[in-house]
Amino acid sequence: MTRGRPIAFSPDEAASAAMQVFWARGYDSASTRDLLEAMRLSRSSLYQAFGNKEQLFLEALRRYRASLLGRLERRLAAAPSAMGFLEALFRETAGEAGDERAALGCLIFNSASELGQRGDAPSQHAQQSVAAITALFQHAVERAQAEGDVDPERDADALAGYLTMGMAGLRTLLKSGADGEQARQAVELLLDGLRRR
C-alpha cells in the first residue's frame, strides 16, 4: 500500500473496535492479531491509519476519556445539585453489580492499575486520565461546597482524591464480582464521609 492511498474504512469504527479489545484484555495482553481481527484491518492499514499498537492505545484511551468525561460534565451541569449528581453517580455505579459492563471495569482505572508508573506514554496517559476524573470530582465538590452540602472548610482537592479512590475501588469490587448489597453499603459509607455534618 502506498503512502498516499486513501483509507477505505472507517477510522472511527476501527478505533472503537480497538478500544473494546484494550478494555477487555488490557494493554499488554491485547495482541496485534487481536486488534487486527477486531478492527477488520490488515497490518498495513493499521499502521497507515494509527501507527503502532502504542499509538492505537493512546487513541482508544483518548476516545474513552473524552466520551466518559463529556457525559459526566454534561450531567453535572444539568444536575439540580452537585451532591445529587455525586450520589446518583455512585449509586448507579453500584447498581451495575453483576452485569457485563461491571465485569469489564473502567478502561481508565484498568489501564492505570495495569501500567502503573512505567513512565512510558501509555502509563502517562492513563495517569492523566485519572487526573481528569479527579478534576471533575473537584469541580463537583467545590460546587457542593458553594451549595452548602459539603463543609467549605474541607480541602476540595483532598475530597476529590477521596472520590477518585472511592470510584476506582468500587469499579474494582464490581469487576471482581461483588454483589449489589456490598456495593451499595460501600457507596453509602463513602457518601457519608463527604456530606456536611
Side-chain angles (χ1 to χ4, degrees), residues 66-85:
S67 175
L68 174 64
L69 289 177
R71 289 196 311 272
L72 293 179
E73 287 164 357
R74 290 189 296 272
R75 192 168 163 183
L76 174 58
S81 73
M83 193 66 200
F85 160 79

Side-chain angles (χ1 to χ4, degrees), residues 108-132:
I108 290 172
F109 292 132
N110 292 353
S111 300
S113 177
E114 177 193 2
L115 301 173
Q117 300 181 39
R118 294 181 183 179
D120 58 9
S123 68
Q124 289 171 2
H125 278 68
Q127 292 169 26
Q128 290 165 8
S129 297
V130 172

